[in-house]
Amino acid sequence: MAEKDRNQRMKEITERLEQGVKDIFTSEMYANYLRTMSQLHSYSFNNTLLIHLQKPEASLVAGYQTWQKKFHRQVRRGEKGIQIIAPAPIRTREEIEKVDPATMEPVLKPDGTPEMEEVEYTIPRFRVTTVFDVSQTEGEPLPELETPELLGSVENYEIFMRAIRDISPVPIRFDEIESGAKGYYSSVDKEIVIQESMSESQTMKTGIHEVTHAKLHDRDIMEEMDEKKDQMTREVEAESVALLWSSIYGLPVFWTGYVRLFLPLYCRVEQ
């Protein structure tokens, strides 16, 4: 009977997820989110590592002028920027001997001298530039990405948290996270950090979310398995697992946050 009830509950939760997908396709919230994300850069592995080393909890990063002009947000006075490497290629022109593409032989003029042509090519160059995380800015709000804060206590909370620690592949610690994030997983430090002093409900859900990141999205594991997942894919996987398990164990959950924003795009990517 217990197994049947659990299966029924899983069915109901899955149906709610599917309905969320249908609803979100016509949602202005989702359209606003996509418009915003299209203006933010994706960063290389090296820059992702640099960002993490300087501000592990960073989530959305852009340059000073980008925050001002595109998002009408201002970097707060006194905030320390994040140093990354930006391409600064040099374009140059040079005259070279013209080559016949069919014979790969030099093309000669009537007087027997080589015919010349001007070609343009790019010399790779890089420079250090500064970016800032959204948590370091203030101004017009971005489309809401977070689920509402969960409140309330959880029956057998200590047992649940001990189970989460037992299944976690990395240590879990509590700390004050300056960016306002509820938690994060560090692929570099191999640890999970959870914001201290949250409610038991929010702490448990965040723990499940971050353990999912540690198990599925560790950079070394993904490289070993030759997997590539962007931020949206990683978030929908982690938040779906957290929401499903929270529902199974009776925690209050909301379906208007990460899953409702990320799941439709995730489905497109997987197709």
Side-chain angles (χ1 to χ4, degrees):
M1 179 63 72
E3 185 67 24
K4 183 178 180 180
D5 290 344
R6 177 166 294 191
N7 289 340
Q8 179 61 30
R9 193 162 190 174
M10 284 293 293
K11 181 175 181 294
E12 292 172 357
I13 294 169
T14 303
E15 288 174 351
R16 291 171 69 188
L17 276 174
E18 291 174 351
Q19 185 60 47
V21 173
K22 295 176 183 177
D23 293 344
I24 203 67
F25 274 116
T26 57
S27 169
E28 181 62 21
M29 175 181 65
Y30 182 52
N32 287 339
Y33 172 76
L34 288 183
R35 281 193 290 269
T36 299
M37 292 302 105
S38 69
Q39 299 178 75
L40 289 165
H41 296 292
S42 295
Y43 290 97
S44 67
F45 170 78
N46 287 336
N47 277 334
T48 300
L49 184 58
L50 285 171
I51 291 169
H52 170 83
L53 291 173
Q54 296 168 77
K55 196 170 185 62
E57 71 275 20
S59 57
L60 298 175
V61 173
Y64 188 94
Q65 295 294 329
T66 299
W67 283 124
Q68 271 191 332
K69 295 179 180 179
K70 289 188 177 181
F71 303 109
H72 307 291
R73 295 182 67 84
Q74 181 67 43
V75 175
R76 289 193 295 266
R77 185 181 297 276
E79 289 288 350
K80 184 179 180 181
I82 303 167
Q83 304 293 305
I84 64 171
I85 300 170
I90 298 174
R91 294 184 181 277
T92 186
R93 292 177 178 273
E94 183 180 359
E95 275 203 345
I96 62 172
E97 292 183 3
K98 189 173 183 180
V99 175
D100 187 316
T103 64
M104 300 305 294
E105 295 291 333
V107 177
L108 302 179
K109 297 178 181 179
D111 62 3
T113 60
E115 187 173 331
M116 306 298 288
E117 64 177 347
E118 188 179 72
V119 296
E120 181 180 289
Y121 60 93
T122 301
I123 302 175
R125 291 287 189 275
F126 297 89
R127 62 183 174 86
V128 175
T129 190
T130 302
V131 294
F132 298 87
D133 183 55
V134 63
S135 65
Q136 300 174 288
T137 68
E138 56 191 5
E140 292 187 8
L142 298 179
E144 182 64 35
L145 300 182
E146 293 286 355
T147 54
E149 181 79 22
L150 297 181
L151 303 174
S153 58
V154 178
E155 186 178 357
N156 298 320
Y157 169 75
E158 295 298 335
I159 296 175
F160 276 122
M161 288 306 297
R162 187 161 59 247
I164 291 173
R165 288 182 182 276
D166 287 344
I167 65 172
S168 175
V170 299
I172 298 175
R173 67 179 177 88
F174 291 84
D175 203 348
E176 184 67 30
I177 302 177
E178 294 182 359
S179 70
K182 296 178 176 68
Y184 63 90
Y185 167 62
S186 169
S187 276
V188 176
D189 299 329
K190 306 299 182 187
E191 67 171 358
I192 289 170
V193 180
I194 298 176
Q195 171 64 39
E196 58 187 4
S197 302
M198 294 193 299
S199 69
E200 292 180 353
S201 296
Q202 187 62 62
T203 299
M204 180 177 158
K205 177 177 171 292
T206 300
I208 298 170
H209 180 109
E210 300 306 334
V211 167
T212 303
H213 278 314
K215 282 181 169 288
L216 298 183
H217 309 138
D218 178 80
R219 190 177 299 279
D220 295 336
I221 292 175
M222 287 199 295
E223 286 183 357
E224 183 179 336
M225 299 181 67
D226 195 27
E227 288 186 345
K228 294 182 179 179
K229 297 179 181 179
D230 60 22
Q231 179 185 353
M232 288 173 282
T233 301
R234 296 194 300 269
E235 287 304 327
V236 75
E237 289 180 344
E239 191 68 359
S240 293
V241 171
L243 290 173
L244 288 170
W245 281 102
S246 296
S247 288
I248 289 171
Y249 289 105
L251 293 181
V253 294
F254 299 87
W255 302 86
T256 56
Y258 275 125
V259 170
R260 289 174 65 83
L261 283 170
F262 286 118
L263 192 55
L265 189 54
Y266 171 72
C267 292
R268 290 183 181 180
V269 169
E270 289 303 294
Q271 290 172 355

